[in-house]
Amino acid sequence: MSEWAAEQQVGEELAETLVREQFAPLPERSVSLLSTGWDYVVHLVDERWVFRFPRREVVVPGTEREISALGRIAPLLPVSVPAPTYVGQPSAAFPWPFYGARYLPGVESSDARLSDDDRTRLARPLARALRSLHGPETMAAAGDMLPTDPIRRADMSFRVPKTREALAAVRELGLWEPPAVVEEILAAASALPQAESSAVCHGDLHFRQLLLDGGELSGIIDWVDVCRSDPGVDLQLVWSFLPPEGRDAFLAEYGSVSRGSLLRARVLALFLNAILARYGHTEGLAAVEAEALAGLARTTS
């Protein structure tokens, strides 16, 4: 069995049943598969509502946090996020909570065929969104309900070894040969002190979580790892998604970032894109594989 395999399968028929049982008259017209990820399957209901169903039990606590926190976070950000409108309860038909939010138009950034100029134009809107997310108002609104770095994204004593493992797996597949600078990055990160959890963070912010519509940033999705942490856990996109000129524009808009946060972000850029490259390769998702490999190259250039 693939490590990405679902523990619970929610196809269109079951999704329709679950929505109808708890939220009639929905669906009024249609239920169609929108996307499938590692941990969730997402269905579009009546071309207006997006219902998100866990595929694995391990993400249920994160689903519960999304349900609790996103309604508080969403009004504070200058970009759309999927704030729950319908909250489904566990039942005999499906053992875990799920939720429905308004459909956010757009495609994953890996499907948008972005040039370096396109990426640079996205730098400032992305910076504004993350500046708001990491700001004191968001911490005051939602910080008290969130755990501190539960998957140890900012803990370099844990994350550096995991990054080495992820990069070794990519190398074994013949997808990418890590340059010498990788070890320099990892060694420097290993010497960092423990991070301070000073901000509300998305927690898993990579290119698949960015929605683009007409070349503009239209949404940030998949908040299952929302938490309090070092802002660097969300800044990996500075390294992996943006070209050098885009990084300058991002930081000019976002504001001051410590050396430690940027170094943690660079390690996470290596880790997440190595995982995504292997996932895309294994699952036959060519656009995901290509964007992840390009992200590794950008991070080390």
Side-chain angles (χ1 to χ4, degrees):
M1 177 182 293
S2 166
E3 65 185 286
W4 320 111
E7 296 168 10
Q8 293 283 336
Q9 296 278 9
V10 180
E12 292 176 359
E13 183 176 347
L14 179 55
E16 180 175 354
T17 297
L18 294 172
V19 172
R20 191 178 303 281
E21 281 181 350
Q22 298 194 37
F23 306 115
L26 295 181
E28 298 177 326
R29 297 183 302 280
S30 62
V31 175
S32 58
L33 176 66
L34 187 61
S35 67
T36 302
W38 301 348
D39 298 323
Y40 290 90
V41 61
V42 180
H43 290 277
L44 181 61
V45 174
D46 295 337
E47 300 181 353
R48 182 181 179 190
W49 303 104
V50 171
F51 276 80
R52 180 168 158 89
F53 300 90
R55 301 175 78 226
R56 301 192 299 149
E57 186 173 12
V58 69
V59 301
V60 170
T63 304
E64 293 169 343
R65 286 193 290 273
E66 285 184 294
I67 290 168
S68 298
L70 285 181
R72 296 189 184 187
I73 293 171
L76 303 177
L77 303 188
V79 66
S80 295
V81 303
T85 300
Y86 298 100
V87 178
Q89 302 301 318
S91 67
F94 186 70
W96 303 325
F98 60 95
Y99 70 88
R102 289 192 179 275
Y103 171 70
L104 304 181
V107 299
E108 290 182 12
S109 65
S110 55
D111 293 326
R113 299 183 178 182
L114 299 171
S115 67
D116 280 357
D117 286 345
D118 295 330
R119 293 170 190 272
T120 297
R121 282 193 292 271
L122 289 166
R124 287 184 180 273
L126 181 60
R128 287 192 289 271
L130 292 183
R131 186 178 65 204
S132 296
L133 176 63
H134 297 159
E137 189 176 358
T138 306
M139 178 66 92
D144 61 347
M145 64 173 57
L146 298 174
T148 299
D149 197 18
I151 55 175
R152 302 175 72 180
R153 287 286 201 236
D155 181 354
M156 292 296 104
S157 68
F158 177 80
R159 192 54 53 189
V160 166
K162 290 292 185 183
T163 301
R164 286 196 174 99
E165 292 174 9
L167 290 170
V170 170
R171 183 179 186 181
E172 287 171 10
L173 288 171
L175 300 178
W176 190 67
E177 183 68 28
V181 71
V182 167
E183 193 51 44
E184 296 173 14
I185 294 166
L186 297 180
S190 295
L192 287 173
Q194 193 74 323
E196 292 186 17
S197 295
S198 59
V200 172
C201 296
H202 179 284
D204 190 35
L205 189 56
H206 54 73
F207 62 81
R208 297 200 76 191
Q209 322 296 30
L210 302 181
L211 292 182
L212 305 181
D213 188 28
E216 303 296 327
L217 182 65
S218 60
I220 297 177
I221 59 173
D222 196 353
W223 291 73
V224 64
D225 293 314
V226 62
C227 63
R228 298 191 311 272
S229 191
D230 180 279
V233 305
D234 288 344
L235 299 182
Q236 73 86 12
L237 290 169
V238 173
W239 295 105
S240 66
F241 185 74
L242 298 176
E245 57 271 27
R247 293 171 196 162
D248 293 341
F250 179 99
L251 293 172
E253 185 73 33
Y254 179 87
S256 176
V257 183
S258 72
R259 170 189 169 275
S261 289
L262 283 176
L263 186 51
R264 293 183 187 96
R266 201 172 188 186
V267 172
L268 282 173
L270 293 170
F271 172 77
L272 287 172
N273 284 277
I275 295 290
L276 285 160
R278 186 165 65 88
Y279 172 71
H281 181 78
T282 303
E283 298 296 302
L285 301 173
V288 171
E289 179 183 348
E291 175 64 23
L293 293 174
L296 289 171
R298 278 188 286 268
T299 300
T300 55
S301 62

